[in-house]
Amino acid sequence: MIERPIIALDFDSKAEITTFLNQFPSEESLFVKVGMEIFYQEGPAIVDWLKKAGHNIFLDLKLHDIPNTVERSMTGLAKMGVAITTVQAAGGLEMMQQAKEGLKKGTAVGESVPQVIAVTQLTSTSQEQMQKEQLIQATLEESVLHYAKIAQEADLDGVVCAAWEASKIHETTTQDFMCLTPGIRPQGSAVDDQKRVVTPNKARALGSSAIVVGRPITLASDPYKAYQEIKTDWKEANK
Ligand code: C5P
């Protein structure tokens, strides 16, 4: 269980991130998501800068390539000292195994190996599209559960999934397999472009192990207050 909500730093520049983070007490250690948009703009320096400010990093680059390339890339990412990374499960069992190997190779002695979790089917993919374009003759749910199982076989630490998928994923894998969930909205807040949302508390009740929250915090008039409320709701036992 990751006790702090992971804040998605979906901004276009380091300057915007600076303005955002300045609204938090300087001693507050956050868990933040750096996605490919900002990483491709600012490069590894953004990770280094956030780490030096005392934050933990979920580096969400969704690697998907031949096993050797992914292994070598993960070695580099591990050297950056991130806490969690991601791959696409569609890259296959061997690619996921080598992702983990690469992370181990790149981790300095005495440091902990970054966790790696898999994206199964993107939420932007419909069942019809999956069947037509990927020629997968299963239901979307079967595909998600199958990928989760393979990810665990590859010694990955978990998957990115919707809250309502978490309990079935835990049944198919194990209870300690991480289910990291986006699509979180506090009671009464704007849904934005998310189709199905859950509150932090509901995500916990449904079995999520970690939550990623963007706009409810980044667009709030008082981001620190919004963050604290979401954190409290997430940490409270079932209401
Ligand atoms: O602003 P919001 O809370 O909707 O942001 C959620 C974050 O999680 C964004 O960075 C988004 O890209 C990511 N995400 C998502 N749904 C998925 C996978 C990732 O919203 N299925």
Side-chain angles (χ1 to χ4, degrees), residues 6 25 27 35 37-38 40 50 56 65 92 98 107 110-111 116 118 134 147 151 157 174 178 184 194 200-201 207 209:
I6 301 173
E27 68 282 3
E37 306 96 316
I38 192 70
Y40 291 152
L50 288 164
N56 294 83
D65 209 316
Q98 287 196 221
T107 304
E111 298 291 321
V116 50
Q134 302 177 31
Y147 274 145
D157 301 282
T174 51
M178 190 197 300
I184 301 294
Q194 297 282 10
N201 200 261
S209 334

Side-chain angles (χ1 to χ4, degrees), residues 62-65 70 86-97 99 116-122 134 136 143-152 154 156 158-160 177:
K62 302 186 175 69
L63 276 68
H64 187 176
D65 209 316
V70 169
T86 49
V87 294
Q88 293 281 1
L93 177 72
E94 193 187 335
M95 187 205 77
M96 290 193 272
Q97 284 168 328
V116 50
I117 61 178
V119 173
T120 59
Q121 291 289 349
L122 293 168
Q134 302 177 31
I136 294 175
S143 174
V144 166
L145 295 176
H146 183 62
Y147 274 145
K149 211 167 149 66
I150 294 177
Q152 188 168 50
L156 261 57
V159 287
V160 178
F177 196 61

Side-chain angles (χ1 to χ4, degrees), residues 60-73:
D60 185 22
L61 299 181
K62 302 186 175 69
L63 276 68
H64 187 176
D65 209 316
I66 59 170
N68 181 56
T69 302
V70 169
E71 178 178 333
R72 293 171 62 182
S73 305

